[in-house]
């Protein structure tokens, strides 16, 4: 049963109920593959995301940070052998390009590992997403990008949604006619497990131009 976590951003640590279900879902803890969102950097990435897991008591034997300083074949092997995969937060566009360059998307889709993504990582896990300057991207013209497509919906994650509801609806109206969009800000999560969708925090569903706040189920 495949399990995917679309996370916002957590200022402190995972809420207790999120930590609990992650503990239950991640039973194999041999290795964690972390996919960079700034893949040209030498600096260590993922310390914040790893601290969330550490605090929840989810520790792995091995940790692999995947970026351009790792050979492509090695990166693919880390994904193939991972117990869990974490797409890190940061630069959505750079991470998207890196996934294409290293041909990681299909490997992630086929993996039986638990897949998590925070902010940019959650966006790139989705089927497609809108790149717009109104969402903070350094572009003049809006464009749709394909994500990994773990589930057939779009994600807008870690965006100041509550104060920009009209903007969000205007920007995403066309896409919402095509697929559902899950929109959230901080301290939120959408878990997809065996076709069931669970909600943590303030998460909104936009479908066919209508937007509604979802009840928490975690």
């Amino acid at each position: 049963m495949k399990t995917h976590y679309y996370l916002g951003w957590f200022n402190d640590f995972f809420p207790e109920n999120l930590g609990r279900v992650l503990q239950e879902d991640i039973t194999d803890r041999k290795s964690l593959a972390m996919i960079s969102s700034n893949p040209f950097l030498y600096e260590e990435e993922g310390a914040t995301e790893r601290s969330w897991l550490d605090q929840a008591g989810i520790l792995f034997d091995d940790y692999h940070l995947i970026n351009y300083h790792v050979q492509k074949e090695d990166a693919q092997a880390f994904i193939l052998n991972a117990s869990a995969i974490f797409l890190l937060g940061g630069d959505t566009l750079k991470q998207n390009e890196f996934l294409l360059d290293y041909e990681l998307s299909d490997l992630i889709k086929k993996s039986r590992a638990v897949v998590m993504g925070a902010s940019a990582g959650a966006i790139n896990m989705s089927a497609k997403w809108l790149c717009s300057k109104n969402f903070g991207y350094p572009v003049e013209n809006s464009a749709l990008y394909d994500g990994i497509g773990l589930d057939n919906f779009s994600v807008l994650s870690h965006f100041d949604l509550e104060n920009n509801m009209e903007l969000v609806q205007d920007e995403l109206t066309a896409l919402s006619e095509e697929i559902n969009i899950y929109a959230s800000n901080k301290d939120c999560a959408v878990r997809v497990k065996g076709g069931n969708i669970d909600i943590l925090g303030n998460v909104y569903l936009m479908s066919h131009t209508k937007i509604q706040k979802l009840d928490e189920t975690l």
Side-chain angles (χ1 to χ4, degrees), residues 10-206:
F10 297 87
N11 287 332
D12 297 309
F13 298 111
F14 287 148
E16 186 176 333
N17 44 352
L18 178 58
R20 186 189 71 251
V21 291
L22 278 164
Q23 281 268 15
E24 294 169 0
D25 287 338
I26 305 175
T27 52
D28 177 5
R29 300 183 189 171
K30 294 185 180 67
S31 69
L32 176 66
M34 299 181 291
I35 301 175
S36 173
S37 65
N38 290 287
F40 287 104
L41 290 181
Y42 277 102
E43 289 85 351
E44 186 69 21
E45 247 194 306
T48 299
E49 291 93 331
R50 184 170 165 178
S51 74
W52 300 336
L53 293 169
D54 289 350
Q55 198 273 340
I58 302 168
L59 306 175
F60 295 85
D61 295 337
D62 294 304
Y63 295 83
H64 302 288
L65 176 62
I66 298 174
N67 57 24
Y68 281 121
H69 306 294
V70 175
Q71 292 294 318
K72 182 175 179 178
E73 294 76 14
D74 293 335
Q76 292 178 346
F78 290 148
I79 294 295
L80 285 169
N81 296 317
S83 310
I85 299 166
F86 205 143
L87 286 89
L88 303 178
D91 193 314
T92 317
L93 283 166
K94 287 180 182 175
Q95 188 178 65
N96 189 274
E97 182 180 356
F98 179 62
L99 289 166
L100 286 172
D101 285 350
Y102 266 39
E103 301 177 79
L104 300 179
S105 292
D106 281 348
L107 296 176
I108 296 169
K109 281 186 81 167
K110 292 173 183 174
S111 174
R112 305 301 299 178
V114 173
V115 183
M116 302 167 281
S119 191
I123 293 168
N124 274 319
M125 283 167 58
S126 66
K128 56 181 65 177
W129 53 276
L130 181 68
C131 179
S132 165
K133 64 181 178 183
N134 289 326
F135 293 155
Y137 293 105
V139 296
E140 282 303 312
N141 298 313
S142 297
L144 280 175
Y145 279 77
D146 289 328
I148 296 170
L150 293 177
D151 300 286
N152 189 35
F153 54 69
S154 180
V155 167
L156 175 65
S157 178
H158 191 194
F159 184 74
D160 186 12
L161 183 71
E162 290 80 359
N163 294 317
N164 294 281
M165 198 65 77
E166 283 189 22
L167 180 149
V168 168
Q169 286 190 273
D170 288 344
E171 287 285 309
L172 295 178
T173 288
L175 182 57
S176 78
E177 293 282 12
E178 185 181 341
I179 56 174
N180 287 343
I181 302 165
Y182 289 88
S184 67
N185 195 0
K186 297 178 180 177
D187 302 316
C188 298
V190 175
R191 178 180 74 162
V192 181
K193 182 174 183 179
N196 295 318
I197 296 178
D198 285 303
I199 303 297
L200 172 85
N202 294 326
V203 178
Y204 293 78
L205 171 64
M206 187 170 179

